[in-house]
Amino acid sequence: MTFRPRLGLVPVVLSMALAVYAQQGKRPLAHGDYDGWKSISSPQLSRDGKFLAYGLFPQDGDGLVVVRELATGKEWREAAGALPPPPASTTDEPDRTPRGVRLAFTRDGRFLVSTTFPSKGELAAARKARKKPEEMPKGGLLIVNTSTGAATRVADVKSMQVPEKGGALVAYLKEAKPASAEEKKAEEKKAEAAAPAARANKKEYGSELVLRDLEKTEGGERTFASVMEYALAKDGATMLYAVSSRKEEENGVYAVETAGGGAPVPVMDGKGKYSKLAWDRENKRAAFLSDRDEAAAKQPRPALYLWERRAAKAAAMAAATACSEGYVLSDKAAVSFSRDGSRVFAGCAPPREPEPDTSAAPAENKVVADLWHWRDDLIQPMQKVLARRERDRTYTAVYHIAEKKFLQLADRTMRTVSPSDDGRYALGADDSLYRRMVDYDGHYADQYVVDTRTGARRRVIEKMRAATPQWSPDGKYAAFFRDKQWHTLSIPEGTLTTITSSLEPAFFNEDDDRAEPASNYGWAGWTNDSRWVLLYDRYDVWQVAADGRTARNVTEGFGRRNKLQLRVVRLDSEEDEPRRGIDPEKPVLLRAENLETRETGFFRDRMNSDAAPEKLIMGAKNFRTVVKAREADVIALTASTFHEFPDLQITDGTFAKLDKVTDANPQKAGLLWGRGELIRYKNTDGVALQAALYKPEGFDPAKKYPLMVNFYERMSQTVHTFVDPRPGTSINISYYVSNGYVVLTPDIVYTVGSPGQSALKAVLPAIQAVADQGYIDENAIGIQGHSWGGYQIAYMLGHTRRFRAAEAGAPVANMFSAYNGIRWGSGMPRQFLYEQSQSRIGGTPWERPMEYLENSPIFSVNKVETPVLIIHDDQDDAVPWYQGIEWFLSLRRLGKEAYLFNYNGEVHNLRQRQNQKDYTVRMQQFFDHFLKGAPAPEWMRKGIPYIDREAEKERFSKTFSGAGQ
């Protein structure tokens, strides 16, 4: 059966509809709208709740730091430069973590301090001039006076600190300046006399540290030279800093009182390296590492030092060096205090060999080979990915201050330990017996209770999967989930108690349909008196005694009766409290989500009351709390829908009134959008499911629309989530709806052993449920998905002719070969995906060959009749790109219409913005051709010969801004 583009009804209807809105001053989204679309990042409230600050950044271009006085609405906006590109992601979905500047109000709220980035223009000019990395423009510092709006800027700032409880102070470290010609010559001369191993380890020198009193307009700055690290006390009265100078006799750790202008006092000084400055929580003591006493040794070893803030400033306290035999203290690990300040934690490691000198020419005929040994704990690709982490791995050690005793707790067998808040005991994990299981199953470890005074270990849990038990604040219990139940572990006895087995509801995720053990519904944590653990069933919150003897439903079953999923929201800060945890005497804020309608809101409840939760606000929106003022009843939140951007809104603890205080994208008012709604349907096995359906603005049920289907696993819960228009590897729902498509995102439930059929059984009925409404052109249905979604599309195309066009991103075509593939981003074998995880086969190819055969798209490729667009990149770090090649070549062999894009050097999700833009336009052209009757673009008609790639790239980039309009 051959399909032809329908050139009649759909384009005519859509053009008429869009013309109506054009008369009203609205237009569809265009690809050229992406760059200027802004996001809000790093929102902060001053402690008194009078001021709000946030970053406002476009996707491409320079952003702003905005400071708003909430009472008057007065704003100050300052340039903040251009966001750096996002980090690489090896997950199946792009990284959506907000990026932005770091913002901090002074305690009195009179000043806002912010980091900034170089501008887009500065970066472009530097690249054009081919600047070296150390010569590229650097970030800076912005200081805004909230009384006057006056702004001060400082260039070339590496980091900054504002005291949490101190006055109007800021300390910032400048970027290091390149060495002068004389300094370079002296260093080269010194290096020539050094051994090759010593030359390979170049010494780092510090830069200028500035301490600034923001209250003073003149004379408020003090500078300190050659600083590598610094740490302000919370009260802002004292600052420690470590010096690394070319004049080595000046090196040391210095303390300076921030008021009065007194001279810095050496806590410890002399030739050597000083690092890892740390204050305890009460700022009574500080700790650091130094190798001063061995500075002249070939391989100087650091020791741990303590300094009492109230003692004479020059008095260095106890030194500790006693790691286990074969280990030394390492400056690769942070130094930290227990919460009560009685113990210091540091890291020990085997002595590191100096980095090899790579400046010499490589030896001729040198053999470079990897040996994959069947008894290796981890396969070679994993070893390669983890090599740097393993070289830098440290093992936790503890110093007991009162006893002046140092003890190494972790080692090569027990590589990780998690101390209690007071550090008296620790929980250790030994995965040595189970490391090879990561290939095909999961992460397992035996859990031990470790006495931090003696180092004695007692195994208390065998072969625990993934998670680490979570300490109670008093260190007497730890909670963990296993075998569908919650348990506690008493310390130090090691007694295990199952605390949920006698309770009626399930505490495991009843919708978890993978072959691996079911996950839990989550928990809120411990109460601060350590008596109760707050656990979640599907709907409600439970408080269960640490010993398991008593339990009660905190929310009185209100969630289950009303189909509301209730979850605790933490807005308070634990930093000022003596213990972590939830205060059982205070009201509890709950976020509610109706699992049938996806409405959300907030309720208030009390742990010591039998009253039902009190509704504060509820509606057909996605409500999310963002931040609360530390010392005022002022809360910032967002309330989004598919058509409402999550601008910041201000309220108080009653949630009675919401005051919208941002308008990040005013241009949206002139753009066509759409609305989201839920539909209900049943898969072919009769299981009730939901789907999110998005309809264009001005939707007319009497007209016919093209339908785009996009799915992964469950997606209906995002029906009230605003989708920023942006380029990417998958369709942008906002763009497609704005341009006249109806978009459907159905939920899928799976049967282990039949993932492909499970998708088919869910997606086709969802499409039919929409088609039965009469407004879909059934000859204009497209489907698109990436990774797991791409696999399911590849499978479905061999079993249905329902779709006019399809795009499948990074699809698995052959489960037999994919089973033994490598996820190159992590180096892990893909076996676990099929035996335990997402691919849901539930066994090996030799145990379940028919399931592998039946679920592999390659074996039904001869039945594909749908034109298909594929993207699979040659550096894919999650799904080996030969999977896309296998499918494409099979389609090609059979004469099927197929197009495969490979963006050279790209990974699983397109990372380079120019590539995201390029593919976004090509995918839109592909679907518009088949579903709207638009002319086929030249690349579809003629292809892109290899020798014409550069010319095509240049031509296509010039047309980007107008594409799709």
Side-chain angles (χ1 to χ4, degrees):
M1 182 176 184
T2 303
F3 292 96
R4 297 295 179 196
R6 235 179 124 170
L7 302 176
L9 181 62
V10 170
V12 172
V13 169
L14 293 177
S15 62
M16 291 173 59
L18 297 180
V20 171
Y21 282 96
Q23 294 173 4
Q24 299 175 359
K26 290 189 175 184
R27 64 169 176 83
L29 272 165
H31 298 301
D33 292 320
Y34 301 145
D35 285 355
W37 196 267
K38 298 180 181 66
S39 296
I40 295 170
S41 65
S42 313
Q44 296 290 325
L45 287 166
S46 59
R47 295 177 76 101
D48 58 12
K50 293 181 179 180
F51 293 94
L52 168 72
Y54 58 93
L56 186 63
F57 285 88
Q59 293 176 25
D60 188 11
D62 294 338
L64 300 169
V65 168
V66 183
V67 184
R68 182 183 180 94
E69 187 176 34
L70 294 177
T72 65
K74 188 175 182 179
E75 285 189 348
W76 296 279
R77 296 185 167 218
E78 294 291 336
L83 286 178
S89 173
T90 59
T91 61
D92 286 349
E93 291 302 311
D95 176 52
R96 300 297 188 193
T97 304
R99 294 167 292 132
V101 292
R102 184 181 166 223
L103 302 167
F105 282 102
T106 54
R107 183 185 176 93
D108 58 11
R110 292 184 58 190
F111 296 90
L112 181 280
V113 184
S114 172
T115 57
T116 62
F117 302 110
S119 72
K120 181 180 178 180
E122 290 172 331
L123 291 169
R127 293 189 194 102
K128 187 175 181 179
R130 298 187 178 184
K131 296 281 189 180
K132 297 178 181 179
E134 63 271 19
E135 298 173 335
M136 291 294 287
K138 304 296 193 297
L141 195 70
L142 170 68
I143 304 168
V144 178
N145 186 320
T146 59
S147 299
T148 65
T152 303
R153 292 181 178 274
V154 183
D156 299 330
V157 173
K158 185 176 182 180
S159 65
M160 65 91 164
Q161 292 181 20
V162 174
E164 187 177 323
K165 300 179 181 180
L169 293 172
V170 61
Y172 55 89
L173 190 63
K174 301 276 286 184
E175 292 281 357
K177 295 181 179 179
S180 65
E182 293 78 9
E183 289 170 334
K184 286 182 178 179
K185 185 176 289 186
E187 288 173 15
E188 289 171 359
K189 186 175 181 180
K190 188 175 181 180
E192 287 176 1
R199 289 201 302 269
N201 293 319
K202 296 180 180 178
K203 187 173 180 60
E204 293 184 79
Y205 298 106
S207 55
E208 184 180 70
L209 173 66
V210 180
L211 177 64
R212 184 168 185 157
D213 185 341
L214 301 177
E215 299 281 7
K216 297 180 180 179
T217 56
E218 293 184 6
E221 283 190 358
R222 302 171 67 186
T223 61
F224 310 92
S226 304
V227 176
M228 286 295 292
E229 297 182 24
Y230 63 107
L232 265 173
K234 288 180 185 178
D235 61 13
T238 306
M239 181 175 70
L240 288 176
Y241 63 92
V243 169
S244 179
S245 172
R246 286 181 170 84
K247 298 178 180 179
E248 294 187 21
E249 64 276 5
E250 296 178 354
N251 291 354
V253 172
Y254 295 81
V256 61
E257 297 303 310
T258 60
V265 177
V267 170
M268 184 177 183
D269 60 347
K271 291 183 179 181
K273 182 178 180 181
Y274 303 81
S275 62
K276 305 303 177 184
L277 306 177
W279 288 99
D280 68 358
R281 198 171 68 89
E282 298 296 329
N283 291 161
K284 295 178 179 179
R285 296 185 176 109
F288 59 91
L289 297 179
S290 173
D291 61 8
R292 183 193 66 174
D293 295 332
E294 289 196 357
K298 291 183 178 180
Q299 289 186 325
R301 300 179 178 183
L304 176 66
Y305 291 86
L306 294 177
W307 173 64
E308 297 284 350
R309 187 177 181 184
R310 300 300 179 189
K313 297 299 185 291
M317 303 301 286
T321 57
C323 292
S324 299
E325 185 176 355
Y327 297 82
V328 296
L329 270 170
S330 171
D331 60 6
K332 297 294 181 181
V335 171
S336 63
F337 284 83
S338 59
R339 188 175 178 87
D340 64 0
S342 64
R343 296 169 176 88
V344 183
F345 297 98
C348 295
R352 288 189 67 199
E353 292 296 323
E355 295 287 345
D357 183 8
T358 57
S359 60
E364 294 184 8
N365 303 320
K366 183 179 180 180
V367 175
V368 179
D370 299 327
L371 171 62
W372 295 42
H373 195 289
W374 70 283
R375 285 177 174 163
D376 285 345
D377 285 345
L378 304 176
I379 64 171
Q380 285 284 319
M382 286 191 73
Q383 293 181 40
K384 180 179 180 180
V385 170
L386 299 175
R388 177 166 292 279
R389 189 181 81 177
E390 290 302 313
R391 278 195 295 266
D392 293 343
R393 181 183 288 279
T394 61
Y395 302 93
T396 302
V398 62
Y399 179 68
H400 300 271
I401 296 174
E403 297 90 337
K404 296 185 178 181
K405 182 177 181 180
F406 185 90
L407 188 68
Q408 183 177 326
L409 304 177
D411 54 30
R412 291 180 180 89
T413 56
M414 183 181 293
R415 298 192 294 186
T416 61
V417 296
S418 172
S420 59
D421 276 8
D422 62 5
R424 178 61 187 87
Y425 291 95
L427 292 170
D430 178 2
D431 67 347
S432 57
L433 295 177
Y434 315 109
R435 287 174 193 161
R436 290 170 59 184
M437 293 179 67
V438 73
D439 293 5
Y440 55 87
D441 190 343
H443 295 269
Y444 292 91
D446 293 336
Q447 299 288 333
Y448 290 76
V449 173
V450 182
D451 187 323
T452 64
R453 287 179 177 167
T454 65
R457 302 172 178 178
R458 177 190 298 178
R459 186 168 65 178
V460 291
I461 309 173
E462 292 186 26
K463 199 181 179 183
M464 182 171 172
R465 186 183 178 95
T468 300
Q470 300 297 306
W471 282 105
S472 61
D474 64 2
K476 294 181 178 180
Y477 290 94
F480 65 97
F481 181 84
R482 185 182 190 183
D483 299 330
K484 297 185 176 181
Q485 301 290 345
W486 282 94
H487 314 264
T488 56
L489 172 69
S490 64
I491 309 297
E493 298 86 358
T495 304
L496 296 174
T497 304
T498 303
I499 61 173
T500 53
S501 57
S502 63
L503 302 179
E504 183 177 345
F507 289 85
F508 65 90
N509 187 347
E510 296 145 291
D511 292 333
D512 197 327
D513 51 19
R514 302 189 182 197
E516 61 193 353
S519 58
N520 59 72
Y521 281 118
W523 74 319
W526 289 90
T527 55
N528 59 12
D529 58 9
S530 299
R531 292 182 58 198
W532 308 98
V533 190
L534 297 189
L535 307 175
Y536 299 143
D537 68 16
R538 185 182 185 89
Y539 297 102
D540 289 296
V541 182
W542 291 75
Q543 64 179 83
V544 185
D547 59 10
R549 294 180 181 178
T550 57
R552 65 178 295 268
N553 191 316
V554 174
T555 48
E556 306 294 336
F558 182 84
R560 187 169 294 273
R561 290 193 301 275
N562 294 279
K563 307 298 182 185
L564 295 177
Q565 189 173 77
L566 301 171
R567 299 296 183 253
V568 174
V569 178
R570 300 293 304 277
L571 291 176
D572 56 318
S573 172
E574 296 178 330
E575 196 56 38
D576 295 330
E577 302 297 328
R579 286 183 174 175
R580 293 180 298 110
I582 298 166
D583 189 339
E585 301 301 320
K586 292 182 179 180
V588 177
L589 181 65
L590 303 168
R591 182 180 184 272
E593 180 171 1
N594 188 307
L595 298 187
E596 293 190 347
T597 68
R598 294 300 172 183
E599 292 183 339
T600 69
F602 295 101
F603 285 68
R604 183 183 292 115
D605 201 2
R606 284 186 174 274
M607 291 181 60
N608 55 6
S609 170
D610 294 333
E614 172 194 0
K615 184 173 75 173
L616 302 174
I617 191 171
M618 195 80 184
K621 296 187 177 186
N622 181 9
F623 286 100
R624 296 282 181 184
T625 55
V626 177
V627 65
K628 181 185 178 299
R630 291 281 294 272
E631 297 174 357
D633 187 18
V634 180
I635 299 170
L637 57 77
T638 60
S640 72
T641 66
F642 176 68
H643 60 278
E644 292 180 75
F645 180 84
D647 276 302
L648 294 174
Q649 305 197 45
I650 297 297
T651 187
D652 58 23
T654 68
F655 291 82
K657 180 185 176 183
L658 302 184
D659 182 16
K660 181 181 172 183
V661 293
T662 67
D663 187 12
N665 292 288
Q667 74 275 23
K668 182 183 174 298
L671 296 170
L672 293 171
W673 218 261
R675 290 183 179 263
E677 62 186 59
L678 281 179
I679 65 167
R680 292 174 175 80
Y681 65 100
K682 292 182 179 180
N683 72 0
T684 55
D685 291 331
V687 179
L689 295 172
Q690 292 180 325
L693 184 68
Y694 305 95
K695 297 175 180 177
E697 188 169 338
F699 173 79
D700 184 348
K703 298 175 181 178
K704 296 287 186 179
Y705 293 84
L707 176 66
M708 179 64 68
V709 184
N710 172 261
F711 64 95
Y712 193 79
E713 292 185 341
R714 290 178 182 263
M715 295 176 66
S716 66
Q717 69 274 13
T718 63
V719 65
H720 295 311
T721 299
F722 186 88
V723 179
D724 282 341
R726 65 172 62 245
T729 313
S730 287
I731 65 165
N732 181 267
I733 296 176
S734 293
Y735 175 89
Y736 278 76
V737 173
S738 178
N739 281 271
Y741 285 87
V742 172
V743 177
L744 176 70
T745 61
D747 287 346
I748 303 172
V749 293
Y750 296 91
T751 300
V752 172
S754 302
Q757 276 294 317
S758 297
L760 200 67
K761 289 179 178 181
V763 173
L764 293 185
I767 293 171
Q768 194 59 49
V770 178
D772 287 346
Q773 301 302 310
Y775 50 77
I776 297 300
D777 182 344
E778 297 198 50
N779 290 312
I781 299 176
I783 191 167
Q784 188 277 326
H786 192 74
S787 192
W788 180 239
Y791 154 72
Q792 293 171 98
I793 290 171
Y795 175 88
M796 287 194 290
L797 294 186
H799 295 80
T800 181
R801 297 185 180 185
R802 192 70 162 107
F803 305 106
R804 181 66 188 89
E807 190 273 357
V812 164
N814 184 344
M815 285 195 169
F816 287 102
S817 56
Y819 171 82
N820 283 318
I822 303 293
R823 292 173 67 93
W824 293 106
S826 62
M828 288 182 63
R830 293 175 51 83
Q831 295 170 344
F832 76 97
L833 286 165
Y834 300 89
E835 296 188 45
Q836 291 278 322
S837 190
Q838 188 175 57
S839 298
R840 295 175 170 91
I841 296 297
T844 65
W846 47 92
E847 293 169 332
R848 298 190 171 187
M850 292 309 298
E851 283 89 342
Y852 279 81
L853 179 71
E854 292 167 358
N855 286 282
S856 293
I858 202 77
F859 299 112
S860 57
V861 70
N862 58 308
K863 299 177 183 178
V864 174
E865 296 293 342
T866 306
V868 60
L869 174 66
I870 309 165
I871 181 174
H872 213 148
D873 303 318
D874 53 22
Q875 296 300 311
D876 193 307
D877 47 359
V879 179
W881 86 300
Y882 58 72
Q883 289 293 316
I885 294 173
E886 282 194 47
W887 198 41
F888 172 79
L889 290 180
S890 297
L891 291 165
R892 170 185 163 90
R893 171 67 178 80
L894 291 164
K896 311 289 184 178
E897 185 172 359
Y899 310 86
L900 169 62
F901 271 99
N902 162 34
Y903 288 85
N904 299 177
E906 279 281 17
V907 291
H908 189 60
N909 294 289
L910 291 173
R911 185 170 56 195
Q912 300 297 322
R913 189 167 178 83
Q914 68 271 18
N915 293 336
Q916 295 172 349
K917 290 180 175 181
D918 186 272
Y919 190 64
T920 294
V921 175
R922 296 188 193 274
M923 185 161 48
Q924 168 252 315
Q925 292 174 331
F926 173 81
F927 282 121
D928 277 5
H929 171 63
F930 288 110
L931 306 185
K932 287 186 175 182
E938 186 173 350
W939 62 266
M940 287 181 65
R941 291 185 283 107
K942 297 182 179 180
I944 307 172
Y946 184 83
I947 60 174
D948 294 338
R949 291 191 316 160
E950 293 301 316
E952 166 69 7
K953 181 173 68 174
E954 182 69 20
R955 183 194 66 78
F956 202 79
S957 64
K958 290 180 179 179
T959 63
F960 172 79
S961 61
Q965 295 190 35

